[in-house]
Amino acid sequence: MNLDQTRFPAEQLVSFIESALTAADTRKEDAAEIARHLVDANLTGHDSHGIGMLPAYIAHIQGGQVNITATDITRSDKGVIIQRDADSGWGKPAARRLIETAIEKCQQNGLAAATLGNVHHLGRIGAYGEQAAAAGLVSMHFVSVADHAPLVAPFRGSDARFGTNPVCISFPATNKRPSFLLDMATSKIALGKVRVAANKGEKVPPGSLINEHGMETEDPTGMSGFEMKGALLPLGRHKGYGLGFACELLAGVLSGAGTLQPGNPRKGGIQNRMLSILIAPDAFGDTDWMDEEVDAMSDYALASPPMDWDSPVLYPGDPERAWRGKRERDGVPLDEVTVEQLNNAANKAGSSERL
Ligand code: NAD
C-alpha cells in the first residue's frame, strides 16, 4: 500500500470538509464548526480523530445515523446540573454549546455538572477541556461510545465489550505555563493507531491487542476498522478497564442515554455520551497561590533527568502544542490512500472540491 505523504495547509482541509458536509445538506454553521474541529485534531497530532473521519461522517448522513437538523433537548436544568440530549445531532456544536452553558453555571456557582446524551461523535475530547481552561476553569470529562460494536476487551476478558471511552482533565494556564491537558482513550492504543499499523504492515506494541481467539497478538492485520476481529486491550490492565467502565456509568448512565450493553440499540453509526464537571478554582481559595503551586509542581516534575536525553519529561498538553506549531507551519500530512478515500467521500456527498 502506498503511504507516501503530501502536506496540506489546514485552511484547504477545512474548506474541503465544509464543502463536503454542506453538499450533503449539513447546516452551514455546523459544517464550518465540524470542519474546524476535525482539522484541529490533525493539527494537534491526533490524526485518528481528524479529517480521516469524514468518510464515516458522510456515510452516517446518508445512512441516517446522524440527525443533521437536530436541536438540543434539555431534559433537566436544576441549579448547577444540566442534562441535555442532542437528539442524535452533530457532536462538536452540541458539546460546545453544553460547555458554554456549564461555564456560565460554573462562573455563577463555582461548580457545574453537565451531561450530553444521544450525540454523534464528539471527536477530540481535549477541545472541551481547552474550552473550559480558556474560561479559567478546571474540567473533567468522562465519555462513553455507543451505536457501534464494542472495540475494547475488559481486563481478563477475551472479546470486546467496551468502546475506547476517553477521559479528559484540564487545568487552566498560569502566568508561566499553558493549560494542563490530559486527554486520552482508556484503551492502550487508539483504534486509529491499529489502522495505521495495519496499513503499513507494522506490528503494534505488545499488550495492545488480542485476536478473535482471545490470544494476545502484535499483528494488527484485519483489525483496522469497526468490524475488527479481535479487541483492543485496556491501558494499564485492571486500571484502564476500571476507568473505561467508569465512563459507561458516569456518561452512559447519568446522561440517561444508556451504555454499550447490547439491550440498547446499535445503528452502526458513532455516538458518544459525556459527563463534564467544571470547577472554578477561586471557589476553592487563593488562585495566586494555586498558580504558584501548579508552577512549582510542574517545574519539579519536568526537572526529572530523562532516561533518554532525546526524550525529556513533558507537561500533558505540550505534545499537542508542539504538533500544532509544526503542522500550522508545515501543513497536515495525508497519505495517498487517505486522500483517495476523502475524495471519494466528497464525491458521494456531491461536492466538486478535491484534494
Ligand atoms: P495520546 O496517547 O496521544 O495522548 C494522551 C495524553 O497524553 C494527551 O493529553 C497528551 O498531551 C499526553 N501526552 C502524550 N505524550 C506525553 C508525554 N510524553 N508526556 C506527558 N504527556 C503526554 O491520546 P490517545 O489516547 O491516543 O487519544 C487520542 C484522541 O482520541 C484524544 O483526543 C481523545 O479524546 C480521542 N478519543 C475520542 C473518542 C471518542 O469517542 N470521541 C474515543 C477515544 C479517543
Side-chain angles (χ1 to χ4, degrees):
M1 191 166 284
N2 188 348
L3 287 179
D4 285 350
Q5 305 214 314
T6 308
R7 289 187 174 272
F8 294 86
E11 290 312 313
Q12 184 186 351
L13 300 182
V14 169
S15 157
F16 176 82
I17 300 171
E18 210 177 323
S19 302
L21 289 173
T22 43
D25 295 333
T26 293
R27 290 179 292 227
K28 210 168 167 23
E29 63 276 18
D30 287 345
E33 191 167 357
I34 296 161
R36 188 70 50 199
H37 178 94
L38 291 179
V39 175
D40 213 59
N42 291 109
L43 286 174
T44 50
H46 293 297
D47 292 332
S48 55
H49 288 70
I51 189 170
M53 295 301 299
L54 183 67
Y57 284 17
I58 299 292
H60 295 162
I61 296 174
Q62 293 173 340
Q65 289 112 337
V66 56
N67 177 1
I68 56 173
T69 58
T71 48
D72 300 337
I73 305 161
T74 297
R75 299 250 180 246
S76 170
D77 186 348
K78 294 181 202 142
V80 297
I81 294 168
I82 181 142
Q83 189 189 48
R84 215 174 255 173
D85 185 307
D87 196 20
S88 300
W90 289 116
K92 168 61 188 167
R96 188 252 312 146
R97 290 190 291 267
L98 180 84
I99 301 299
E100 274 170 8
T101 307
I103 287 172
E104 268 172 44
K105 283 187 180 290
C106 185
Q107 283 168 339
Q108 285 161 14
N109 301 290
L111 190 74
T115 63
L116 189 59
N118 292 318
V119 64
H120 190 256
H121 192 229
L122 293 173
R124 184 178 76 93
I125 307 305
Y128 315 114
E130 287 166 354
Q131 190 183 345
L137 304 175
V138 175
S139 75
M140 292 178 260
H141 310 263
F142 300 92
V143 177
S144 64
V145 188
D147 210 30
H148 65 74
L151 300 168
V152 182
F155 178 60
R156 295 185 171 175
S158 61
D159 67 0
R161 304 280 160 144
F162 289 88
T164 50
N165 297 1
V167 172
C168 171
I169 300 175
S170 71
F171 213 92
T174 67
N175 286 332
K176 187 172 156 190
R177 232 172 241 296
S179 55
F180 172 99
L181 184 76
L182 176 67
D183 170 30
M184 54 175 222
T186 48
S187 50
K188 181 159 179 184
I189 58 170
L191 180 65
K193 290 179 183 154
V194 181
R195 184 186 66 227
V196 171
N199 283 353
K200 289 185 176 170
E202 289 176 355
K203 288 184 171 180
V204 295
S208 311
L209 272 189
I210 51 175
N211 63 21
E212 68 268 44
H213 308 297
M215 306 300 290
E216 274 200 32
T217 177
E218 292 169 30
D219 178 6
T221 314
M223 299 202 207
S224 53
F226 290 115
E227 67 295 332
M228 61 194 277
K229 291 183 292 178
L232 297 163
L233 288 173
L235 73 90
R237 296 163 60 85
H238 55 288
K239 300 174 188 181
Y241 159 57
L243 205 48
F245 208 144
C247 288
E248 291 292 341
L249 306 180
L250 294 170
V253 175
L254 292 184
S255 69
T259 63
L260 195 53
Q261 60 93 356
N264 287 323
R266 291 179 191 159
K267 295 192 300 255
I270 313 174
Q271 282 212 354
N272 283 131
R273 288 87 174 84
M274 177 163 75
L275 167 70
S276 296
I277 300 170
L278 274 61
I279 299 168
D282 60 7
F284 285 79
D286 175 3
T287 53
D288 288 340
W289 175 84
M290 288 183 194
D291 280 3
E292 282 167 25
E293 200 58 17
V294 169
D295 290 342
M297 184 63 219
S298 310
D299 290 348
Y300 179 59
L302 271 64
S304 177
M307 291 170 78
D308 167 0
W309 284 96
D310 288 332
S311 303
V313 178
L314 302 176
Y315 194 58
D318 277 351
E320 283 82 356
R321 283 183 278 269
W323 279 114
R324 188 188 288 283
K326 183 171 167 39
R327 289 187 167 183
E328 277 179 349
R329 191 188 60 229
D330 301 339
V332 172
L334 295 177
D335 64 71
E336 286 184 13
V337 175
T338 303
V339 169
E340 195 184 328
Q341 288 167 349
L342 290 169
N343 284 333
N344 287 342
N347 194 32
K348 277 189 199 148
S351 164
S352 56
E353 220 168 299
R354 294 285 169 273
L355 289 176

